[in-house]
């Protein structure tokens, strides 16, 4: 399973959840893209509409999704599963969740202390039996990278929840600490900003164009351009290495934290630019202040 | 207190280190110690690679502080959601024991004898500075065996007592001790080759005077056990 497959799954799951808010769901209805509030999905739409279309589930026409016949079949099977589970277990939803949470906490306790794997195995087995029911009552949405690591989609509940981490995610989701879908940061997404940094190799400042993207940064510079992770690894760090730019130890952490902050708050581009300026100047000062003997002895 | 590493720690030192420079060329002894450390390090690297195929990311190191070998191990958290063996701890315990077995063997091959203790708990280290409860426990027990042996301390015993461990590596045997310890396990190291090597060392270290005789004879006792 690729990250893209997992993202497609989440989009379908979100559409499903949207539809079932209407109890007499009409499977031939159209749906506005506005329910997919996450910029990740909008980015996906721009980037790879073809992939989504070929997912044989939905078609995308401008800003409207249409459920197709095959998609409707899968959609209906989810719907039937939910109805079936609700009929038999709805009244015990809270009780079942409390039991699953208890099993999770006991596992956590075991991992932290005696690590008695026989007990862990039993708690996990019990938690799975609760999760396979609760999944259709809470309809949780998960991070794509977890699905990728598990190698199965969450609707394959027996296999998906056969792991301490997925039970932990479920508990976190119900308690409001799960996957965050924020579009607050969309105001500063894919906007051109500058990163002006001193290069020891060239003896002057260089100015990169930098964009915050849905999964990191994009760098545009005369010689090197491309994607960087949230912490700058990738095109930003490789530019530094190429141009003898020496960054402080906390640089990567700073870039990652800034990305998160910009994603979770309505940070204006001007404010984000100011923080990037501070980081760039910090890198420049570090680079300028490299001890002179290192260059005198051709070490750097 | 939170520690970035939680796992098994072994301290094992050379028996008869004091005055070894009178019996052997000091530089030769130092070279032997480094050679032993390097051989063990190579095996550690192989073990790490083997475990990576099971999605297990083991941190394991051997350090040498004067005449004391320090072996540390702990697992890094696996990637979220990736399948890993549930009983990682037994895997770590067995691999840790395998490394001690190799260390014992390497020492014997170089006519050196060691004794030590393995514990379990939290610890930190930077370079050759170690700190944490696991370090204190291993350091305070490692000279308590009165024979060639590496045994587990109470903290390690508590965590492995109900596990099915590899009995070619760990045995339910209490070495002759200078301190009372009702329950423990020790690393197995008896085989024909090691018995011959051990007797060769005893022979070389004659005279076996009363102050050192108990250690030699207790070890011989282990080697003669059925």
């Amino acid at each position: 399973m690729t990250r893209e497959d997992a993202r497609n799954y989440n989009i379908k799951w979100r559409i499903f959840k949207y539809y079932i808010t209407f109890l007499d769901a009409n499977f031939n209805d159209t749906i506005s893209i506005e329910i997919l509030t996450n910029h990740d999905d909008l980015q996906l739409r721009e980037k790879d509409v073809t992939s989504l279309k070929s997912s044989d589930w939905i078609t995308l026409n401008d800003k409207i999704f249409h459920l197709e016949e095959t998609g409707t079949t899968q959609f209906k099977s989810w719907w039937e599963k939910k109805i079936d589970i609700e009929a038999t277990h709805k009244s015990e939803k809270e009780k079942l969740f409390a039991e699953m949470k208890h099993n999770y906490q006991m596992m956590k306790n075991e991992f932290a202390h005696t690590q008695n794997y026989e007990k862990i195995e039993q708690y996990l087995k019990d938690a799975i039996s609760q999760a396979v029911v609760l999944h259709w009552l809470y309809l949780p949405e998960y991070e794509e990278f977890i699905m990728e690591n598990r190698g199965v989609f969450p609707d394959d509940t027996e296999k998906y929840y056969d792991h301490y981490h997925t039970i932990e995610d479920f508990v976190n989701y119900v308690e409001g600490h799960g996957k965050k879908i924020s579009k607050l940061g969309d105001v500063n997404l894919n906007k051109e900003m500058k990163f002006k940094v001193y290069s020891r190799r060239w003896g002057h400042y260089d100015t990169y164009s930098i964009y915050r993207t849905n999964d990191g940064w994009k760098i545009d510079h005369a010689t090197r351009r491309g994607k960087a992770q949230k912490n700058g690894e990738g095109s930003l760090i490789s530019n530094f290495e190429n141009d003898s730019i020496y960054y402080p130890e906390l640089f990567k952490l700073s870039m990652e934290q800034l990305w998160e902050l910009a994603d979770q708050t309505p940070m204006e581009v001007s404010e984000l630019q100011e923080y990037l300026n501070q980081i760039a100047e910090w890198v420049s000062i570090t680079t300028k202040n490299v001890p002179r003997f290192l260059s005198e002895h051709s070490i750097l | 207190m939170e520690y970035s590493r939680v796992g098994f720690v072994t301290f094992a030192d050379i028996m008869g280190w004091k005055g070894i420079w009178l019996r052997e060329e000091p530089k030769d002894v130092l070279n032997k110690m480094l050679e032993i450390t390097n051989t063990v390090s190579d095996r550690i690297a192989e073990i790490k690679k083997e475990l990576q195929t099971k999605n297990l990311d083991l941190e394991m190191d051997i350090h040498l502080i004067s005449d004391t070998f320090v072996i540390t191990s702990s697992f890094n958290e696996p990637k979220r959601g990736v399948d890993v063996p549930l009983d990682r701890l037994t895997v770590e315990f067995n691999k840790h024991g395998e490394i001690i077995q190799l260390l014992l063997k390497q020492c014997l091959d170089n006519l050196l004898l060691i004794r030590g203790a393995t514990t379990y708990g939290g610890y930190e280290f930077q370079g050759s500075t170690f700190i944490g409860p696991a370090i204190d426990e291993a350091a305070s027990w490692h000279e308590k065996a009165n024979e060639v042996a590496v045994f587990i301390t109470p903290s390690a015993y508590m965590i492995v007592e109900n596990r099915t461990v590899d009995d070619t590596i760990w045995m339910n045997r209490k070495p002759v001790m200078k301190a009372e310890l009702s329950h423990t396990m020790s690393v197995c190291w008896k085989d024909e080759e090691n018995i011959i090597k051990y007797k060769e060392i005893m022979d070389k270290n004659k005279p076996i005077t009363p102050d050192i005789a108990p250690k030699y004879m207790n070890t011989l006792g282990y080697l003669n056990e059925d």
Side-chain angles (χ1 to χ4, degrees):
Chain A
M1 182 198 300
T2 64
R3 186 70 60 93
E4 201 90 331
D5 295 334
R7 193 174 289 179
N8 281 346
Y9 176 91
N10 266 351
I11 293 174
K12 293 174 197 172
W13 188 246
R14 223 174 284 165
I15 294 170
F16 170 67
K17 286 168 73 172
Y18 175 83
Y19 267 100
I20 61 171
T21 54
F22 307 100
L23 286 178
D24 57 344
N26 180 348
F27 300 119
N28 296 318
D29 268 358
T30 56
I31 185 169
S32 162
I33 199 168
E34 292 306 311
I35 69 152
L36 306 170
T37 52
N38 188 307
H39 57 68
D40 290 11
D41 303 321
L42 294 177
Q43 176 104 348
L44 175 74
R45 185 175 73 95
E46 288 159 15
K47 249 174 49 184
D48 206 0
V49 172
T50 323
S51 145
L52 199 56
K53 277 181 174 173
S54 67
S55 69
D56 211 22
W57 214 84
I58 44 183
T59 53
L60 207 150
N61 179 9
D62 191 17
K63 289 193 171 185
I64 301 292
F65 283 106
H66 298 274
L67 287 173
E68 287 185 339
E69 196 52 43
T70 48
T72 312
T73 312
Q74 185 181 5
F75 191 101
K76 275 181 175 165
S77 87
W78 283 351
W79 172 256
E80 281 160 11
K81 185 83 185 165
K82 180 177 168 54
I83 293 297
D84 188 36
I85 295 276
E86 273 185 352
T88 48
H89 296 285
K90 194 173 184 180
S91 61
E92 51 181 17
K93 184 177 172 182
E94 278 74 28
K95 181 176 153 278
L96 269 180
F97 176 70
E99 286 170 6
M100 184 178 77
K101 189 179 171 185
H102 169 78
N103 285 317
Y104 157 68
Q105 282 170 333
M106 294 307 284
M107 274 194 284
K108 191 176 178 183
N109 198 36
E110 279 297 331
F111 275 122
H113 298 106
T114 52
Q115 295 202 33
N116 183 328
Y117 75 97
E118 281 170 352
K119 282 189 184 171
I120 293 173
E121 214 161 18
Q122 188 55 52
Y123 292 131
L124 181 61
K125 206 174 148 196
D126 292 347
I128 295 168
S129 69
Q130 287 132 8
V132 298
V133 172
L134 289 166
H135 182 83
W136 300 101
L137 300 176
Y138 283 102
L139 306 176
E141 182 178 331
Y142 296 119
E143 295 281 359
E144 284 95 21
F145 79 92
I146 301 279
M147 291 185 215
E148 198 182 356
N149 288 350
R150 290 297 302 133
V152 286
F153 294 118
D155 62 349
D156 190 350
T157 50
E158 287 275 353
K159 284 184 188 159
Y160 186 78
Y161 288 111
D162 187 8
H163 201 286
Y164 169 74
H165 286 149
T166 46
I167 297 292
E168 181 175 60
D169 287 348
F170 199 168
V171 172
N172 284 338
Y173 176 86
V174 174
E175 298 195 326
H177 313 299
K179 178 174 161 66
K180 289 178 194 151
I181 300 169
S182 162
K183 64 180 218 171
L184 295 175
D186 284 7
V187 292
N188 58 54
L189 195 70
N190 298 318
K191 299 284 192 306
E192 184 178 1
M193 289 167 289
K194 300 294 177 192
F195 195 91
K196 190 178 171 191
V197 65
Y198 182 79
S199 156
R200 201 170 171 86
R201 181 178 183 189
W202 305 115
H204 59 67
Y205 277 87
D206 272 335
T207 304
Y208 308 160
S209 290
I210 185 167
Y211 306 78
R212 193 178 78 81
T213 63
N214 72 315
D215 55 1
W217 305 93
K218 188 178 88 176
I219 308 298
D220 205 344
H221 182 50
T223 49
R224 282 162 187 254
R225 56 192 64 191
K227 288 171 73 171
Q229 293 175 36
K230 292 175 191 176
N231 67 4
E233 280 179 10
S235 63
L236 189 56
I237 297 287
S238 65
N239 262 323
F240 287 177
E241 284 167 357
N242 191 54
D243 288 349
S244 307
I245 295 167
Y246 305 113
Y247 52 89
E249 195 180 343
L250 289 177
F251 171 77
K252 290 183 189 177
L253 177 74
S254 309
M255 288 300 287
E256 186 161 350
Q257 291 302 311
L258 181 57
W259 189 96
E260 294 292 347
L261 203 60
D263 187 56
Q264 295 297 322
T265 60
M267 187 185 287
E268 291 298 331
V269 174
S270 57
E271 189 182 349
L272 180 53
Q273 177 65 72
E274 171 52 27
Y275 297 144
L276 285 170
N277 291 346
Q278 289 178 21
I279 294 178
E281 191 49 24
W282 180 32
V283 174
S284 299
I285 290 169
T286 308
T287 303
K288 284 178 187 172
N289 288 337
V290 165
R292 195 179 301 163
F293 82 91
L294 291 172
S295 51
E296 285 171 357
H297 288 78
S298 307
I299 297 168
L300 285 180
Chain B
M1 196 72 76
E2 292 255 324
Y3 291 91
S4 60
R5 288 162 187 259
V6 177
F8 292 98
V9 174
T10 297
F11 273 48
D13 70 356
I14 303 288
M15 292 165 81
W17 182 255
K18 203 171 159 187
I20 197 170
W21 49 275
L22 288 167
R23 302 190 297 274
E24 289 187 53
E25 187 61 42
K27 277 189 181 166
D28 290 348
V29 178
L30 293 179
N31 285 337
K32 274 188 200 179
M33 297 291 279
L34 284 177
E35 200 179 303
I36 292 168
T37 311
N38 289 338
T39 305
V40 173
S41 275
D42 290 347
R43 178 62 193 139
I44 288 175
E46 285 172 11
I47 287 176
K48 285 181 181 176
K49 240 185 212 170
E50 285 165 19
L51 291 180
Q52 275 166 5
T53 62
K54 295 177 187 163
N55 297 322
L56 290 171
D57 185 8
L58 181 70
E59 290 283 352
M60 196 183 221
D61 298 282
I62 180 165
H63 316 257
L64 181 57
I65 305 167
S66 182
D67 69 329
T68 305
F69 296 100
V70 180
I71 299 165
T72 54
S73 63
S74 61
F75 273 115
N76 288 324
E77 270 306 297
K79 280 186 189 171
R80 283 190 75 75
V82 167
D83 280 322
V84 291
L86 209 47
D87 191 15
R88 286 188 297 168
L89 208 123
T90 303
V91 174
E92 183 188 343
F93 186 57
N94 286 336
K95 293 299 178 192
H96 196 101
E98 185 190 323
I99 286 302
I100 298 167
Q101 250 183 356
L102 177 64
L103 177 64
L104 278 157
K105 167 101 182 119
Q106 287 298 310
C107 287
L108 282 171
D109 287 351
N110 285 284
L111 307 181
L112 296 168
L113 302 174
I114 57 169
R115 55 146 178 231
T118 300
T119 190
Y120 179 84
Y123 62 94
E124 303 284 346
F125 72 85
Q126 254 182 34
S128 55
T129 306
F130 297 81
I131 192 166
I135 302 300
D136 287 357
E137 192 169 315
S140 56
W141 279 100
H142 83 284
E143 289 175 327
K144 299 296 184 208
N146 210 11
E147 61 173 79
V148 176
V150 178
F151 64 94
I152 61 172
T153 68
S155 294
Y157 189 81
M158 272 171 63
I159 207 139
V160 298
E161 63 172 330
N162 293 320
R163 292 169 199 274
T164 312
V165 302
D166 186 339
D167 60 8
T168 65
I169 294 173
W170 293 101
M171 57 183 162
N172 276 313
R173 178 181 179 273
K174 184 170 66 158
V176 180
M177 304 281 289
K178 294 180 197 165
E180 193 48 49
L181 192 59
S182 57
H183 295 82
T184 186
M185 296 168 92
S186 331
V187 171
C188 315
W189 63 276
K190 179 166 58 179
D191 63 26
E192 264 180 48
E193 208 178 307
N194 287 348
I195 291 173
I196 294 167
K197 274 282 172 201
Y198 179 73
K199 288 182 177 169
E200 190 185 324
I201 295 170
M202 263 187 92
D203 200 36
K204 182 179 86 74
N205 289 353
K206 282 176 184 172
I208 309 291
T209 50
D211 53 327
I212 59 167
K215 287 173 195 161
Y216 284 103
M217 296 313 286
N218 292 337
T219 307
L220 209 52
Y222 160 61
L223 296 176
N224 289 334
E225 278 171 15
D226 287 334

